[in-house]
Amino acid sequence: RIRCLCHILNLVVKAILSLFAPKKGEKHAGEDENEWDAEDDEEVRRAEEEVDEAVEASDAATIEELDIEELINARDLNVELSDEERELAKNAYRKLNRLGHRIFNSERLRNQLREIAVALKLPEAEKKRMIRAVLTRWNTVTDVLLRGLELQPALDRLCTTSTGRASIRSLLLTNEEWQLMYQLSLVLVEFKAATLIFSSNEPRIYEVIPVIDLLNQHLETPKPAAKRDMFAVVRVAAVAGLGILDKYYAKTDECLMYRAAM
Protein backbone atom coordinates (compact mmCIF):
# COMPACT_ATOMS: atom_id res chain seq x y z
CA ARG A 1 0.00 0.00 0.00
CA ILE A 2 1.27 3.48 -0.95
CA ARG A 3 1.18 5.95 1.93
CA CYS A 4 1.89 9.68 2.06
CA LEU A 5 4.25 10.97 4.74
CA CYS A 6 1.47 12.17 7.04
CA HIS A 7 -0.17 8.75 6.84
CA ILE A 8 3.17 7.18 7.75
CA LEU A 9 3.53 9.48 10.76
CA ASN A 10 -0.01 8.58 11.80
CA LEU A 11 0.86 4.89 11.41
CA VAL A 12 3.91 5.36 13.65
CA VAL A 13 1.65 6.91 16.28
CA LYS A 14 -0.77 3.99 15.94
CA ALA A 15 2.13 1.60 16.52
CA ILE A 16 3.13 3.52 19.65
CA LEU A 17 -0.45 3.52 20.91
CA SER A 18 -0.86 -0.20 20.20
CA LEU A 19 0.70 -0.78 23.63
CA PHE A 20 -2.02 1.37 25.22
CA ALA A 21 -5.19 1.27 23.13
CA PRO A 22 -7.46 -1.80 23.17
CA LYS A 23 -7.81 -3.73 19.95
CA LYS A 24 -11.06 -3.39 18.05
CA GLY A 25 -13.83 -5.16 19.94
CA GLU A 26 -11.68 -5.69 23.04
CA LYS A 27 -13.38 -4.83 26.32
CA HIS A 28 -11.52 -4.02 29.51
CA ALA A 29 -12.18 -6.35 32.44
CA GLY A 30 -12.90 -3.47 34.83
CA GLU A 31 -14.96 -1.46 32.39
CA ASP A 32 -18.04 0.26 33.75
CA GLU A 33 -20.93 0.16 31.28
CA ASN A 34 -21.81 3.73 32.29
CA GLU A 35 -18.40 5.10 31.29
CA TRP A 36 -19.70 5.93 27.83
CA ASP A 37 -23.07 7.19 29.04
CA ALA A 38 -23.12 10.61 27.38
CA GLU A 39 -25.11 12.64 24.95
CA ASP A 40 -24.79 11.72 21.29
CA ASP A 41 -21.56 12.99 19.76
CA GLU A 42 -22.42 13.61 16.13
CA GLU A 43 -18.84 14.31 15.04
CA VAL A 44 -17.53 11.09 16.58
CA ARG A 45 -20.39 9.09 15.10
CA ARG A 46 -19.80 10.62 11.68
CA ALA A 47 -16.07 9.93 11.95
CA GLU A 48 -16.74 6.28 12.71
CA GLU A 49 -18.94 6.06 9.63
CA GLU A 50 -16.26 7.67 7.45
CA VAL A 51 -13.44 5.38 8.54
CA ASP A 52 -11.94 3.48 5.61
CA GLU A 53 -12.04 -0.09 6.89
CA ALA A 54 -9.54 -1.26 4.26
CA VAL A 55 -6.99 1.33 5.38
CA GLU A 56 -7.60 0.52 9.04
CA ALA A 57 -7.16 -3.20 8.36
CA SER A 58 -3.96 -2.55 6.40
CA ASP A 59 -2.57 -0.37 9.19
CA ALA A 60 -3.45 -2.98 11.81
CA ALA A 61 -1.79 -5.72 9.77
CA THR A 62 1.38 -3.65 9.34
CA ILE A 63 1.60 -3.09 13.09
CA GLU A 64 0.79 -6.73 13.81
CA GLU A 65 3.76 -7.77 11.66
CA LEU A 66 6.19 -5.97 13.97
CA ASP A 67 8.45 -8.29 15.95
CA ILE A 68 8.86 -6.15 19.06
CA GLU A 69 11.20 -8.59 20.77
CA GLU A 70 13.49 -8.65 17.74
CA LEU A 71 13.49 -4.85 17.56
CA ILE A 72 14.39 -4.62 21.26
CA ASN A 73 17.20 -7.15 20.90
CA ALA A 74 18.56 -5.38 17.82
CA ARG A 75 18.97 -2.24 19.91
CA ASP A 76 20.44 -4.17 22.84
CA LEU A 77 17.88 -2.69 25.20
CA ASN A 78 17.55 -4.02 28.71
CA VAL A 79 13.80 -3.72 29.13
CA GLU A 80 11.22 -6.14 30.46
CA LEU A 81 7.54 -5.35 30.16
CA SER A 82 5.41 -7.05 32.80
CA ASP A 83 1.76 -7.98 32.42
CA GLU A 84 1.00 -5.62 35.31
CA GLU A 85 2.50 -2.66 33.47
CA ARG A 86 0.68 -3.57 30.26
CA GLU A 87 -2.55 -3.48 32.24
CA LEU A 88 -1.56 -0.19 33.87
CA ALA A 89 -0.95 1.36 30.45
CA LYS A 90 -4.26 0.25 28.97
CA ASN A 91 -6.17 1.27 32.07
CA ALA A 92 -4.66 4.77 32.19
CA TYR A 93 -5.21 5.34 28.47
CA ARG A 94 -8.81 4.11 28.68
CA LYS A 95 -9.65 6.30 31.65
CA LEU A 96 -8.25 9.52 30.20
CA ASN A 97 -9.84 9.03 26.80
CA ARG A 98 -13.21 8.25 28.32
CA LEU A 99 -12.93 11.22 30.62
CA GLY A 100 -12.53 13.31 27.49
CA HIS A 101 -15.67 11.88 25.90
CA ARG A 102 -17.80 12.02 29.04
CA ILE A 103 -16.93 15.61 29.90
CA PHE A 104 -16.99 16.91 26.33
CA ASN A 105 -20.51 15.57 25.84
CA SER A 106 -21.97 16.60 29.19
CA GLU A 107 -22.84 20.24 29.80
CA ARG A 108 -23.14 19.55 33.51
CA LEU A 109 -19.66 18.02 33.75
CA ARG A 110 -18.17 20.75 31.56
CA ASN A 111 -19.55 23.46 33.83
CA GLN A 112 -18.41 21.65 36.97
CA LEU A 113 -14.92 21.20 35.56
CA ARG A 114 -14.67 24.88 34.69
CA GLU A 115 -15.81 25.91 38.17
CA ILE A 116 -13.27 23.60 39.80
CA ALA A 117 -10.46 24.78 37.51
CA VAL A 118 -11.26 28.41 38.33
CA ALA A 119 -11.40 27.64 42.05
CA LEU A 120 -8.01 25.94 41.82
CA LYS A 121 -6.67 28.95 39.88
CA LEU A 122 -5.39 26.85 37.01
CA PRO A 123 -3.90 28.88 34.12
CA GLU A 124 -6.55 30.05 31.64
CA ALA A 125 -9.16 28.05 33.55
CA GLU A 126 -12.07 29.86 31.91
CA LYS A 127 -10.89 28.98 28.39
CA LYS A 128 -9.52 25.46 28.68
CA ARG A 129 -12.12 22.77 28.15
CA MET A 130 -11.63 19.03 28.19
CA ILE A 131 -11.51 17.62 24.67
CA ARG A 132 -12.00 14.16 23.21
CA ALA A 133 -10.30 12.12 20.51
CA VAL A 134 -11.89 11.75 17.06
CA LEU A 135 -10.79 8.88 14.81
CA THR A 136 -10.48 10.91 11.62
CA ARG A 137 -8.74 13.88 13.22
CA TRP A 138 -5.04 13.20 13.58
CA ASN A 139 -3.30 14.32 16.75
CA THR A 140 -6.47 14.43 18.83
CA VAL A 141 -5.18 11.65 21.10
CA THR A 142 -2.10 13.77 21.79
CA ASP A 143 -4.34 16.78 22.38
CA VAL A 144 -6.41 14.81 24.90
CA LEU A 145 -3.27 13.79 26.80
CA LEU A 146 -1.88 17.32 26.88
CA ARG A 147 -5.17 18.91 27.93
CA GLY A 148 -5.78 16.23 30.53
CA LEU A 149 -2.36 16.88 32.05
CA GLU A 150 -3.05 20.62 32.12
CA LEU A 151 -6.35 20.03 33.91
CA GLN A 152 -5.19 17.13 36.09
CA PRO A 153 -5.95 18.70 39.51
CA ALA A 154 -9.41 19.75 38.35
CA LEU A 155 -10.11 16.38 36.72
CA ASP A 156 -9.09 14.55 39.88
CA ARG A 157 -11.43 16.64 41.99
CA LEU A 158 -14.27 16.33 39.48
CA CYS A 159 -13.94 12.55 39.50
CA THR A 160 -14.02 12.34 43.29
CA THR A 161 -16.95 14.75 43.72
CA SER A 162 -19.22 13.68 40.85
CA THR A 163 -22.34 11.83 41.94
CA GLY A 164 -25.40 10.08 40.60
CA ARG A 165 -25.81 9.18 36.96
CA ALA A 166 -23.14 11.72 36.00
CA SER A 167 -20.57 10.10 38.29
CA ILE A 168 -17.17 9.56 36.72
CA ARG A 169 -15.47 8.33 39.88
CA SER A 170 -14.46 5.09 38.13
CA LEU A 171 -12.37 7.17 35.70
CA LEU A 172 -10.13 8.71 38.38
CA LEU A 173 -6.49 8.18 37.40
CA THR A 174 -3.93 7.23 40.02
CA ASN A 175 -0.71 9.23 40.36
CA GLU A 176 1.18 6.44 38.62
CA GLU A 177 -1.30 6.46 35.73
CA TRP A 178 -0.90 10.22 35.35
CA GLN A 179 2.89 9.82 35.27
CA LEU A 180 2.52 7.21 32.56
CA MET A 181 0.28 9.47 30.46
CA TYR A 182 2.80 12.28 30.90
CA GLN A 183 5.60 10.10 29.57
CA LEU A 184 3.46 8.97 26.64
CA SER A 185 2.71 12.61 25.79
CA LEU A 186 6.46 13.31 25.62
CA VAL A 187 6.78 10.66 22.93
CA LEU A 188 3.74 11.74 20.90
CA VAL A 189 4.11 15.52 20.93
CA GLU A 190 6.94 15.54 18.38
CA PHE A 191 4.78 13.63 15.91
CA LYS A 192 2.05 16.22 16.25
CA ALA A 193 4.57 18.93 15.39
CA ALA A 194 5.82 16.98 12.36
CA THR A 195 2.29 16.29 11.11
CA LEU A 196 1.44 19.98 11.31
CA ILE A 197 4.54 20.85 9.29
CA PHE A 198 3.67 18.48 6.47
CA SER A 199 -0.05 19.27 6.57
CA SER A 200 0.63 22.95 5.92
CA ASN A 201 0.03 24.71 2.63
CA GLU A 202 3.72 24.69 1.77
CA PRO A 203 5.34 21.38 2.77
CA ARG A 204 8.85 21.05 1.34
CA ILE A 205 10.32 17.79 0.13
CA TYR A 206 13.81 18.68 1.33
CA GLU A 207 12.47 18.73 4.90
CA VAL A 208 11.30 15.11 4.84
CA ILE A 209 14.53 13.26 5.59
CA PRO A 210 15.81 15.73 8.23
CA VAL A 211 12.47 15.55 10.05
CA ILE A 212 12.46 11.75 9.94
CA ASP A 213 16.03 11.79 11.29
CA LEU A 214 14.89 13.96 14.19
CA LEU A 215 11.91 11.70 14.91
CA ASN A 216 14.16 8.66 14.77
CA GLN A 217 16.53 10.23 17.27
CA HIS A 218 13.57 11.23 19.43
CA LEU A 219 12.34 7.63 19.63
CA GLU A 220 15.82 6.20 20.11
CA THR A 221 16.46 8.44 23.10
CA PRO A 222 13.13 9.45 24.70
CA LYS A 223 13.30 12.51 26.92
CA PRO A 224 13.86 11.65 30.58
CA ALA A 225 10.66 11.94 32.55
CA ALA A 226 10.44 13.95 35.73
CA LYS A 227 10.70 12.19 39.09
CA ARG A 228 11.17 8.64 37.81
CA ASP A 229 12.71 6.47 35.13
CA MET A 230 10.90 5.87 31.87
CA PHE A 231 8.18 3.24 32.13
CA ALA A 232 9.07 0.03 30.30
CA VAL A 233 5.82 0.21 28.32
CA VAL A 234 6.75 3.67 27.01
CA ARG A 235 10.19 2.44 25.95
CA VAL A 236 8.66 -0.57 24.19
CA ALA A 237 6.06 1.67 22.53
CA ALA A 238 8.87 3.89 21.23
CA VAL A 239 10.57 0.81 19.78
CA ALA A 240 7.33 -0.17 18.04
CA GLY A 241 7.17 3.30 16.53
CA LEU A 242 10.78 2.96 15.38
CA GLY A 243 9.93 -0.30 13.66
CA ILE A 244 7.38 1.48 11.45
CA LEU A 245 9.47 4.61 10.96
CA ASP A 246 12.55 2.62 9.91
CA LYS A 247 10.52 0.51 7.50
CA TYR A 248 9.36 3.52 5.51
CA TYR A 249 12.55 5.51 5.97
CA ALA A 250 14.40 2.74 4.14
CA LYS A 251 12.11 3.25 1.17
CA THR A 252 13.42 6.78 0.63
CA ASP A 253 16.59 5.13 -0.71
CA GLU A 254 14.50 3.97 -3.65
CA CYS A 255 13.43 7.52 -4.50
CA LEU A 256 16.10 9.78 -5.99
CA MET A 257 13.85 12.79 -5.46
CA TYR A 258 14.38 12.72 -1.70
CA ARG A 259 18.15 12.41 -2.00
CA ALA A 260 18.40 15.08 -4.67
CA ALA A 261 16.43 17.46 -2.47
CA MET A 262 18.93 17.18 0.37
Side-chain angles (χ1 to χ4, degrees):
R1 175 178 290 274
I2 297 175
R3 292 181 169 91
C4 72
L5 180 61
C6 286
H7 275 98
I8 292 170
L9 296 179
N10 187 48
L11 183 57
V12 174
V13 170
K14 284 183 177 180
I16 293 169
L17 292 177
S18 67
L19 276 294
F20 296 84
K23 295 181 180 179
K24 189 173 182 179
E26 181 182 1
K27 189 173 182 179
H28 189 271
E31 187 172 318
D32 184 342
E33 63 180 6
N34 292 321
E35 286 179 5
W36 286 106
D37 184 19
E39 299 168 11
D40 287 342
D41 191 324
E42 184 176 345
E43 185 177 6
V44 169
R45 187 172 62 252
R46 188 168 60 249
E48 291 175 348
E49 294 172 353
E50 293 174 354
V51 167
D52 189 324
E53 295 294 342
V55 172
E56 290 297 309
S58 177
D59 287 354
T62 300
I63 294 170
E64 193 68 28
E65 290 171 0
L66 289 174
D67 189 331
I68 302 295
E69 187 173 346
E70 181 179 326
L71 291 169
I72 290 174
N73 291 336
R75 288 169 171 79
D76 197 25
L77 295 177
N78 182 23
V79 56
E80 292 186 12
L81 179 55
S82 66
D83 290 340
E84 290 78 10
E85 192 163 311
R86 286 180 185 272
E87 184 69 10
L88 177 72
K90 291 191 174 184
N91 209 30
Y93 182 84
R94 172 184 63 87
K95 286 180 180 179
L96 188 50
N97 271 281
R98 296 194 176 185
L99 270 176
H101 281 277
R102 283 294 303 275
I103 296 170
F104 185 90
N105 289 291
S106 169
E107 183 178 3
R108 175 182 175 183
L109 290 174
R110 288 199 306 271
N111 291 336
Q112 289 176 339
L113 180 63
R114 184 177 64 253
E115 291 171 2
I116 292 171
V118 170
L120 292 175
K121 298 181 179 180
L122 298 184
E124 300 183 49
E126 285 283 0
K127 298 179 181 178
K128 289 183 179 177
R129 296 184 177 184
M130 193 57 192
I131 54 181
R132 82 311 194 207
V134 179
L135 281 176
T136 54
R137 288 170 57 187
W138 293 345
N139 297 318
T140 52
V141 169
T142 304
D143 291 338
V144 169
L145 294 180
L146 295 175
R147 182 56 55 84
L149 289 162
E150 290 174 340
L151 295 173
Q152 177 188 346
L155 288 172
D156 287 347
R157 183 171 296 184
L158 179 64
C159 286
T160 56
T161 58
S162 62
T163 58
R165 194 168 182 270
S167 175
I168 51 175
R169 184 179 293 271
S170 65
L171 299 179
L172 175 65
L173 276 75
T174 66
N175 288 336
E176 190 174 30
E177 288 170 341
W178 277 119
Q179 290 172 12
L180 180 49
M181 291 297 94
Y182 167 66
Q183 291 187 12
L184 177 60
S185 74
L186 293 180
V187 175
L188 295 181
V189 70
E190 298 298 333
F191 286 89
K192 175 181 178 178
T195 302
L196 292 176
I197 289 173
F198 293 110
S199 299
S200 67
N201 293 329
E202 297 181 352
R204 298 173 177 86
I205 193 169
Y206 66 80
E207 295 176 322
V208 171
I209 290 180
V211 167
I212 293 179
D213 283 337
L214 289 173
L215 291 174
N216 190 289
Q217 183 180 10
H218 170 65
L219 291 178
E220 288 279 10
T221 55
K223 296 177 182 178
K227 299 183 181 179
R228 63 160 294 151
D229 294 332
M230 189 69 71
F231 281 94
V233 67
V234 176
R235 296 178 65 192
V236 173
V239 170
L242 275 168
I244 298 295
L245 193 62
D246 288 348
K247 174 181 178 178
Y248 287 96
Y249 191 11
K251 295 184 182 297
T252 62
D253 292 333
E254 303 169 12
C255 182
L256 293 177
M257 192 179 302
Y258 285 112
R259 298 297 169 181
M262 292 292 291

